[in-house]
Amino acid sequence: MEKIGALLKNNAYPGRGIVAGTSADGRSAVTAYFIMGRSSNSRNRVFAAEGEDLKTKAFDEEKVEDPSLIIYYPVRVLQNHLIVTNGDQTDTIFDFLSQGKTMEEALATRCFEPDAPLFTPRISALFTFYGGTFDYKLSILKAADAEGAHCTREYFCYEPAAGAGHFIHTYRCDGNPPPSFAGEPEPVEVPNDIDGFTGEIWKNLHADNKISLFVRYVDLASGETQTRILNKNV
C-alpha cells in the first residue's frame, strides 16, 4: 500500500478522485473525494454541505459558463448507503437504490461524460452498511476508443480491511487530452486521524489545479460521522 500523498505528490492532474476504505483501527468507514480543474469554468466551484449530502456550487455565479458537468451532488446518503461520485450519476444510483435495484443496474444506463475529446470517466463509490460492518464498491465508466463510440464499465468490490483503502481517479496524469485512469484502483493506507488524512491529501494536490476536498469518517458502531470540507475558493 502507498500513502495517498505519495501518489498525488508528483501527479499534476489526476482530475477527480475517490478514496474508499477503513481506518487503521477498523472502527470507521472512510471516504474522500476531491476535484481539480484546468479551465476557469471548472475552477469556479466550491463544496457545500446539505445535511448529510454534499453539493458542488459555483463560487462566482456570474462567471459560470456551463453548469451541466460541474454542478451536481458528489455525495448522497440513502438509508444504509453512502454514494460518492464525480457527476450526476450520484442521483442515478440514488434513484435505482430507492427502487431496490443495484449500482450496476444504475450505471448500465450511464456512460462517460460527453466532453470530447476528454471523454472524462465517471467514477463512483457505494458504501453499504450492515449493523457494525460494511462493504464497498468502486466503478469507472470510460471511453473504449478514441472516438468515444463505446463505453467500458468496470466494477471493483471490496471487504473492509483495517488501515486499507482504494484510490480511483479520472485521469492517469496531465495531458492534452489527459489519459483516462487504467487498471485496478490503487491500494492506499488509511489512518485513524481524519484531520491528518485530510491534510495529507490537500497539501499534495497540485496547488494550481486543486479546487475542493471532502473527507468523511463513519463510526461503524454508532453511525456517527465526522466530515471535513476544504475549498480553495473562500
Side-chain angles (χ1 to χ4, degrees):
M1 291 188 295
E2 295 275 1
K3 289 187 178 294
I4 186 68
L7 294 174
L8 294 172
K9 185 176 182 180
N10 297 313
N11 190 344
Y13 201 59
R16 283 160 270 173
I18 298 173
V19 178
T22 314
S23 60
D25 58 14
R27 296 178 180 178
S28 299
V30 176
T31 191
Y33 174 61
F34 65 78
I35 57 174
M36 306 180 79
R38 301 186 299 180
S39 69
S40 58
N41 188 54
S42 185
R43 290 178 175 181
N44 182 33
R45 286 184 286 174
V46 293
F47 281 168
E50 288 193 4
E52 293 184 296
D53 299 344
L54 182 76
K55 187 173 185 179
T56 61
K57 301 177 69 173
F59 177 65
D60 185 340
E61 296 283 355
E62 294 182 355
K63 294 182 178 179
V64 174
E65 300 169 19
D66 178 7
S68 62
L69 294 177
I70 66 168
I71 305 300
Y72 56 91
Y73 282 93
V75 178
R76 294 193 70 182
V77 174
L78 173 67
Q79 299 170 350
N80 64 322
H81 299 293
L82 172 63
I83 308 162
V84 185
T85 90
N86 73 324
D88 63 8
Q89 73 268 24
T90 308
D91 294 328
T92 306
I93 297 170
F94 184 98
D95 292 342
F96 270 68
L97 293 176
S98 298
Q99 301 167 30
K101 298 180 181 179
T102 66
M103 174 185 184
E104 290 82 355
E105 289 176 294
L107 292 177
T109 70
R110 302 303 305 269
C111 201
F112 47 84
E113 294 182 0
D115 58 347
L118 280 73
F119 301 120
T120 299
R122 292 188 186 273
I123 54 174
S124 307
L126 176 65
F127 292 76
T128 304
F129 297 92
Y130 310 95
T133 188
F134 74 105
D135 58 34
Y136 60 96
K137 300 177 182 179
L138 292 172
S139 171
I140 184 168
L141 314 182
K142 60 184 179 180
D145 49 71
E147 296 74 31
H150 303 283
C151 181
T152 295
R153 297 176 177 85
E154 298 178 354
Y155 302 92
F156 308 90
C157 304
Y158 300 100
E159 297 177 351
H166 296 88
F167 175 39
I168 193 168
H169 40 101
T170 52
Y171 306 123
R172 291 200 297 274
C173 57
D174 206 351
N176 288 298
S180 294
F181 181 89
E184 295 185 18
E186 297 161 319
V188 293
E189 296 179 8
V190 181
N192 293 326
D193 177 21
I194 185 173
D195 292 312
F197 194 48
T198 302
E200 181 184 4
I201 296 172
W202 188 247
K203 73 180 181 182
N204 285 292
L205 289 170
H206 189 275
D208 293 334
N209 294 328
K210 68 183 178 183
I211 301 171
S212 297
L213 169 64
F214 164 91
V215 180
R216 176 168 292 171
Y217 279 49
V218 181
D219 186 282
L220 295 172
S222 67
E224 295 181 357
T225 63
Q226 298 182 74
T227 298
R228 302 290 186 268
I229 298 172
L230 296 178
N231 290 305
K232 186 175 180 180
N233 295 315
V234 293

